[in-house]
Amino acid sequence: MRLSRYFLPVLKENPAEAQIVSHRLMLRAGMIKQASAGIYSWLPLGFKVLRKIENIVHEEQARAGHMAMLMPTIQSADLWRESGRYDAYGEEMLRIKDRGGRDMLFTPTAEELITDIFRAHVSSYKDLPLTMYQIQWKFRDEIRPRFGVMRGREFLMKDGYNFDLTKEDALHSYHRHLVSYLRTYERMGLQAIPMRADSGPIGGEYTHEFLVLAETGESEVFYDSTVTDLTFGDREIDYDSHQECAAIMEEFTSRYARTDETHDEALFNEIPEERRRSARGIEVGQIFYFGTQYSEALGATVQVPEGKPVPVHMGSHGIGVSRLMGAIIEANHDDKGIIWPEGVTPYHAGIVNLKQGDAEADAACEKLYKSLTALGLEPLYDDRNERAGGKFATMDLIGLPWRITVGPRGLKNGVVELTSRRTGESEEMPPNKAVERIHQIYSGHHATEHVEMMAKRSFHTYI
Ligand code: 5CA
């Protein structure tokens, strides 16, 4: 992409309405524009990052054996009356009437609709286990939408639903989700800690929230400081193994880590004092096991070899896809702007031409652009007729992790400059070396990883 043709409405001034840094930076970097309270348009740069986040979610869901599908945003109230949640959900639900006077609603979550699909098509225990998910817009009429995409009214959520024959199988699904979420967040450069939480209007006996520690987080959390030493890394795991998933669950949830809703002061005080922490966190996901609550209400049963049909055990699992963008920025920025982790960066590298119009500099930039593109990478080339300071400020603000600076002086010596946005360190090298380095850096994050993974798991495909 060439910046001269890109739609990047960068703001010079700090927008007064933004109270936290991620909201401020997303507005300043021209990523989003508010349409009305808690409802945003996603401009090209913001949309690109949103797609990157979605892709990581899709890839990790596929790895865990879950199928992607898509349900409508507008649903009939009838199903929600059957489950009893039409009245129970309260003011957060946006209720709509169609021209025939029928009660409709904009989905805040989709347990009812997925259960309806299940009961229409699944009748035998042989079709279990089954896990499907979607990434779809949700609407919750929050009293206080704030902090930009962090607490929106319209927001993008990954919501997944599992159907199992027994409680034991459903707990395996719960553990499998926990493991896949750990991987998902780490690939986005985030440490999200699973914490015992309260189930709220979704209901159910088991639930964990995933929290990214940040001063601007809306949740108050309490934890044993040793939980922050845990990382999942690139270990291989067999998602079909109950045992392996349960062991990871145990490893990541046995230490004290709770949100304020479930906080237990007496238990907390059993941790040595120097390890007790209270902090703020951003909730980027939540997993639930709720047994047969919805399947009984909606009649989602399966025939078993002996006896009467039995209600299936269910769970649901959410990731705040649009909220994640705010969380990633809260955790990765400095006073000049955003610093994207490589896994979600909108463009892999910026190319800054210090002297646009200089034949040699222009030619070197074009060559870099073509070489990077040929390797499957996406460069963003600042080919505008602007002074160097302005170009650097834009690159720093939009936060691409790597910048190649090209100028006539360096080219005389056969070099360009490669700069890391995170450390600020620069190194001079020949252009082809810079291309090689960037290629190397991203090879671990490359799409082929997904292709290889899909080839290994043959029992379903997604998209
Ligand atoms: N049905 C379940 C799981 S599929 C569910 O709705 N869970 S939830 O209520 O916890 O939402 C899932 C995730 O969506 C949350 O962890 C949070 O990251 C995100 N989320 C919830 N409300 C908002 C909001 N108003 N703005 C942005 N993200 C939100």
Side-chain angles (χ1 to χ4, degrees):
M1 181 54 68
R2 288 159 205 276
L3 211 45
S4 61
R5 295 191 205 146
Y6 201 53
F7 183 66
L8 187 74
V10 161
L11 305 180
K12 292 248 152 43
E13 303 298 324
N14 269 330
E17 74 268 31
Q19 300 165 34
I20 62 170
V21 67
S22 57
H23 188 196
R24 200 156 56 230
L25 288 173
M26 286 180 75
L27 291 170
R28 282 197 50 212
M31 297 176 70
I32 52 167
K33 181 177 185 312
Q34 183 175 305
S36 52
I39 304 177
Y40 291 87
S41 298
W42 295 81
L43 307 183
L45 190 73
F47 187 57
K48 197 125 195 345
V49 179
L50 195 65
R51 282 280 179 261
K52 291 262 175 135
I53 295 174
E54 278 187 81
N55 281 341
I56 292 179
V57 173
H58 278 305
E59 287 176 13
E60 292 305 325
Q61 287 301 303
R63 203 190 290 274
H66 305 157
M67 281 168 277
M69 47 109 62
L70 192 61
M71 291 179 276
T73 53
I74 307 291
Q75 302 181 357
S76 157
D78 295 346
L79 270 176
W80 290 72
R81 290 204 173 96
E82 253 187 89
S83 74
R85 278 209 296 184
Y86 188 64
D87 294 324
Y89 219 98
E91 303 256 44
E92 264 193 22
M93 185 188 276
L94 182 64
R95 295 152 208 262
I96 309 162
K97 270 198 201 303
D98 71 7
R99 66 202 296 169
R102 280 173 292 262
D103 289 323
M104 312 291 285
L105 55 94
F106 196 117
T107 176
T109 173
E111 281 81 3
E112 281 76 0
L113 199 58
I114 191 96
T115 310
D116 184 50
I117 293 169
F118 181 90
R119 72 180 175 185
H121 298 292
V122 179
S123 54
S124 164
Y125 74 99
K126 289 181 193 149
D127 297 325
L128 302 180
L130 181 64
T131 298
M132 294 192 276
Y133 76 96
Q134 63 171 350
I135 296 182
Q136 176 63 296
W137 294 94
K138 302 292 185 299
F139 195 94
R140 291 181 187 173
D141 204 351
E142 303 272 353
I143 308 179
R144 276 222 310 153
R146 58 181 183 159
F147 300 158
V149 300
M150 215 62 114
R151 181 161 297 277
R153 292 199 295 167
E154 189 187 53
F155 58 97
L156 192 60
M157 191 205 283
K158 172 264 167 181
D159 45 324
Y161 305 88
N162 66 284
F163 301 89
D164 288 283
L165 184 58
T166 62
K167 178 171 179 178
E168 194 202 348
D169 287 350
L171 287 178
H172 174 218
S173 292
Y174 188 86
H175 301 158
R176 201 175 58 238
H177 277 89
L178 183 125
V179 176
S180 73
Y181 280 23
L182 291 171
R183 282 191 61 108
T184 303
Y185 298 121
E186 280 190 19
R187 281 189 57 192
M188 297 173 191
L190 289 176
Q191 180 172 43
I193 304 169
M195 301 199 179
R196 276 269 283 277
D198 182 59
S199 61
I202 311 287
E205 24 178 327
Y206 292 79
T207 181
H208 281 87
E209 284 181 5
F210 287 78
L211 285 115
V212 173
L213 299 175
E215 274 165 34
T216 48
E218 290 186 286
S219 313
E220 193 179 8
V221 299
F222 300 85
Y223 61 95
D224 176 337
S225 65
T226 60
V227 294
T228 59
D229 302 337
L230 299 168
T231 55
F232 191 79
D234 54 6
R235 47 181 127 164
E236 280 290 324
I237 165 154
D238 176 3
Y239 278 106
D240 295 332
S241 158
H242 289 217
Q243 233 181 347
E244 275 189 43
C245 293
I248 303 272
M249 166 95 187
E250 172 69 16
E251 177 187 346
F252 280 83
T253 62
S254 57
R255 298 171 216 211
Y256 193 94
R258 295 189 179 197
T259 63
D260 55 357
E261 298 150 340
T262 53
H263 179 53
D264 178 331
E265 199 63 33
L267 261 181
F268 188 55
N269 285 335
E270 288 174 15
I271 309 167
E273 196 176 349
E274 69 280 7
R275 283 175 23 203
R276 270 178 242 156
R277 298 280 186 282
S278 83
R280 318 253 349 144
I282 303 167
E283 181 207 323
V284 291
Q286 187 163 7
I287 55 176
F288 302 86
Y289 161 66
F290 40 69
T292 55
Q293 180 181 330
Y294 293 93
S295 54
E296 278 182 45
L298 297 166
T301 58
V302 288
Q303 189 63 53
V304 287
E306 280 141 31
K308 285 196 227 130
V310 296
V312 291
H313 287 256
M314 290 176 61
S316 74
H317 315 275
I319 293 181
V321 173
S322 48
R323 175 179 287 183
L324 269 168
M325 197 170 321
I328 293 169
I329 298 174
E330 289 295 325
N332 299 278
H333 68 270
D334 62 15
D335 49 9
K336 290 189 231 152
I338 302 164
I339 308 172
W340 291 115
E342 268 98 2
V344 296
T345 184
Y347 291 91
H348 296 105
I351 302 171
V352 169
N353 189 343
L354 291 178
K355 200 158 185 202
Q356 206 69 44
D358 175 273
E360 248 191 278
D362 289 2
C365 288
E366 290 297 332
K367 192 157 179 224
L368 281 167
Y369 188 86
K370 289 208 175 85
S371 311
L372 288 165
T373 308
L375 289 167
L377 296 165
E378 288 184 289
L380 183 66
Y381 172 23
D382 193 346
D383 59 341
R384 297 169 306 163
N385 250 325
E386 275 226 14
R387 31 173 214 95
K391 289 189 175 185
F392 289 146
T394 303
M395 281 294 171
D396 285 345
L397 174 64
I398 67 173
L400 309 186
W402 299 94
R403 185 185 80 206
I404 308 176
T405 311
V406 180
R409 209 177 314 152
L411 288 175
K412 281 213 171 66
N413 302 319
V415 295
V416 296
E417 196 181 57
L418 181 64
T419 307
S420 153
R421 173 71 181 85
R422 197 171 286 277
T423 65
E425 279 163 28
S426 289
E427 212 184 307
E428 292 194 331
M429 58 188 80
N432 61 340
K433 266 267 163 314
V435 169
E436 212 173 279
R437 277 277 284 282
I438 289 172
H439 186 220
Q440 240 165 31
I441 289 161
Y442 285 103
S443 54
H445 294 277
H446 211 263
T448 51
E449 193 195 348
H450 177 225
V451 177
E452 282 163 17
M453 183 258 305
M454 291 305 294
K456 270 192 248 153
R457 294 188 78 91
S458 56
F459 58 89
H460 81 270
T461 52
Y462 87 85
I463 313 181

